[in-house]
Amino acid sequence: MRERAVLVLEDGTVYHGYAFGHRGKSVGEVVFNTAQTGYQEILTDPSYNGQIVVMTYPHQGNYGVNVFDMESNRPWVRGFVAREFSRYAAGPRAQQSLEEFLQDTGVVGLEGIDTRALVRKIREGGVLKGVIAHASHFGSPGYRFTPEDLSALREEARRWTDIDGRDMTPEVSTPLPYQFPTFKGSRRVVVMDFGIKHAQMRYMAELGFELIVVPGKTSPAQIMALEPHGLFVSNGPGDPSMPRYAHETLWKLMGLLPTFGICLGHQLLGLAAGGRTFKLKFGHRGANHPVKNLLTGKIEITSQNHGYAVDPDSLKDFKPTHINLNDGTLEGMAHLRYPVFSVQYHPEACPGPHDSLYLFHRFLEEVDAFNGLTGLPVEKQRVGSLGV
């Protein structure tokens, strides 16, 4: 007998399905992702901290899980929802099934619901808080949820602290500085970790950067004491307006170092320069978002995961460089005077297309030009994939 499970939203909407993964209960902000593959990278992306992720593609888990596709040391999602999960891992790289992975790491899952109806509700009304609950949490796998149970779960979702207005980066940032494993390079870059994905560091290391990763609360003086040639500002979860310490740090460093920001890093740079951010109705999450590069006129298909955006009208010192072709929101910007630029999406993909990998090489060029390092050798392992 399949174990019953429910997803109860804060507005009282109930979706009945079946339990998957770790047995229990979990509450979070319910969002959706349109990627067809890459569920392991999504699960382990720290930017999903506090969120229950609904996959629009109906089948998940087909190719299993392996240690090489981890984007951090563990999953960060609060829950995982799909129309149907595979119990078997058919991929040649698989080391365990998706269900085994979720069970081992404590992620509560739900399957068998109408994900199309749920996604339409989120698209039309905006993101909502919700609770996934398994029958065994109430006593046994055969337990039938009562109206009183569903009412209590709705109240739990309603009371859960909203992501809006929360600084969630300390939960995912490294507690101590460390050097990312790589060959010692000639270009030292300090990485401000607000919830970084491993792929971002891998691409930079393969280009010859020596990466020193520091907590997001590291001061400007501590960063400059490391004598870096550049600064990288990572992605991360939560409301970008809340880590005000980061705004101050980036404002003080503006113009002192070539700087590249991704996702939350993009938003923090905008706020540091006096700009504003706003919360999107249902966010951008998927591997198929079209973005126009205003400098070249080219269209890039991008991987995205964010619930906030920078208001371009609030920026005085940055010019727009990329826009989203679905809703016209700002996807990239560059400082008018300093070698500082950022993008809202994820050029490292993982999962997703590699249309935007050239941005890492642009960062390399900015670092070299600023520090007079032109002519130093560049690692060639994957430079061909960067489009240079």
Side-chain angles (χ1 to χ4, degrees):
M1 182 178 64
R2 300 175 70 185
E3 180 177 345
R4 295 183 180 88
V6 293
L7 169 64
V8 182
L9 302 180
E10 61 178 309
D11 67 354
T13 306
V14 180
Y15 297 88
H16 291 269
Y18 300 98
F20 188 79
H22 177 73
R23 297 306 193 257
K25 182 180 67 171
S26 187
V27 58
E29 182 182 74
V30 183
V31 300
F32 65 86
N33 188 297
T34 58
Q36 292 184 319
T37 61
Y39 51 81
Q40 184 179 347
E41 292 92 329
I42 292 166
L43 287 165
T44 57
D45 181 349
S47 295
Y48 282 111
N49 184 30
Q51 296 176 325
I52 294 172
V53 179
V54 181
M55 301 300 291
T56 61
Y57 190 70
H59 302 290
Q60 300 293 326
N62 308 52
Y63 53 85
V65 172
N66 68 80
V67 69
F68 305 105
D69 291 338
M70 297 286 288
E71 285 302 317
S72 65
N73 61 352
R74 69 175 181 88
W76 289 99
V77 300
R78 301 279 296 183
F80 201 45
V81 181
R83 182 68 181 88
E84 181 180 2
F85 288 111
S86 172
R87 265 64 182 175
Y88 306 100
R93 300 168 69 235
Q95 295 171 324
Q96 64 179 155
S97 70
L98 176 58
E99 181 161 42
E100 291 169 338
F101 179 69
L102 298 184
Q103 290 171 345
D104 291 346
T105 55
V107 177
V108 174
L110 174 69
E111 67 173 337
I113 71 168
D114 187 348
T115 50
R116 293 175 299 177
L118 175 57
V119 169
R120 176 169 290 184
K121 180 179 182 64
I122 295 171
R123 281 184 57 88
E124 293 177 352
V127 295
L128 292 163
K129 295 179 287 186
V131 181
I132 297 175
H134 294 171
S136 57
H137 179 77
F138 290 83
S140 70
Y143 182 83
R144 293 182 179 274
F145 295 94
T146 67
E148 292 75 18
D149 296 330
L150 300 178
S151 179
L153 291 170
R154 175 194 178 183
E155 184 62 18
E156 183 176 353
R158 191 187 67 79
R159 292 197 311 265
W160 188 72
T161 306
D162 202 309
I163 286 178
D164 206 31
R166 288 171 64 186
D167 177 12
M168 303 180 72
T169 61
E171 300 173 22
V172 299
S173 176
T174 179
L176 296 170
Y178 66 93
Q179 183 169 357
F180 185 74
T182 182
F183 296 108
K184 186 173 177 62
S186 303
R187 308 164 177 89
R188 178 177 297 169
V189 166
V190 168
V191 177
M192 295 185 70
D193 178 14
F194 296 99
I196 195 166
K197 292 170 62 181
H198 289 166
Q200 294 168 9
M201 293 188 287
R202 287 198 303 268
Y203 282 120
M204 288 191 287
E206 288 166 358
L207 281 174
F209 287 115
E210 176 189 348
L211 304 175
I212 308 297
V213 186
V214 300
K217 292 188 175 182
T218 305
S219 71
Q222 291 171 319
I223 289 174
M224 294 305 294
L226 295 170
E227 299 182 344
H229 296 103
L231 180 68
F232 181 82
V233 192
S234 83
N235 61 291
D239 185 341
S241 69
M242 296 312 294
R244 297 184 178 91
Y245 51 87
H247 308 163
E248 183 178 354
T249 294
L250 293 172
W251 178 77
K252 290 180 177 178
L253 293 175
M254 197 81 68
L256 298 182
L257 294 168
T259 303
F260 180 22
I262 286 178
C263 200
L264 179 70
H266 162 82
Q267 297 160 2
L268 295 177
L269 284 168
L271 289 161
R276 296 187 301 270
T277 56
F278 61 94
K279 189 166 186 176
L280 297 167
K281 185 176 181 180
F282 50 82
H284 298 164
R285 297 175 181 90
N288 53 359
H289 288 256
V291 166
K292 183 175 182 179
N293 184 326
L294 299 177
L295 305 178
T296 66
K298 293 182 178 180
I299 309 302
E300 304 165 21
I301 304 302
T302 66
S303 180
Q304 304 207 6
N305 172 23
H306 60 274
Y308 294 83
V310 177
D311 178 2
D313 295 332
S314 68
L315 298 172
K316 296 180 180 179
D317 297 325
F318 282 86
K319 66 177 180 180
T321 58
H322 299 74
I323 59 168
N324 188 294
L325 292 183
N326 286 335
D327 60 12
T329 53
L330 182 69
E331 291 283 359
M333 62 186 187
H335 201 280
L336 293 172
R337 298 185 302 279
Y338 305 136
V340 178
F341 70 101
S342 61
V343 289
Q344 180 63 81
Y345 52 94
H346 285 261
E348 83 285 351
C350 293
H354 292 171
D355 295 23
S356 306
L357 284 175
Y358 69 89
L359 290 165
F360 290 102
H361 201 274
R362 175 184 170 186
F363 184 43
L364 174 73
E365 293 171 345
E366 296 279 14
V367 169
D368 281 1
F370 186 87
N371 294 280
L373 300 176
T374 305
L376 288 177
V378 176
E379 294 293 329
K380 294 295 185 181
Q381 295 163 298
R382 299 183 67 167
V383 172
S385 67
L386 302 183
V388 297

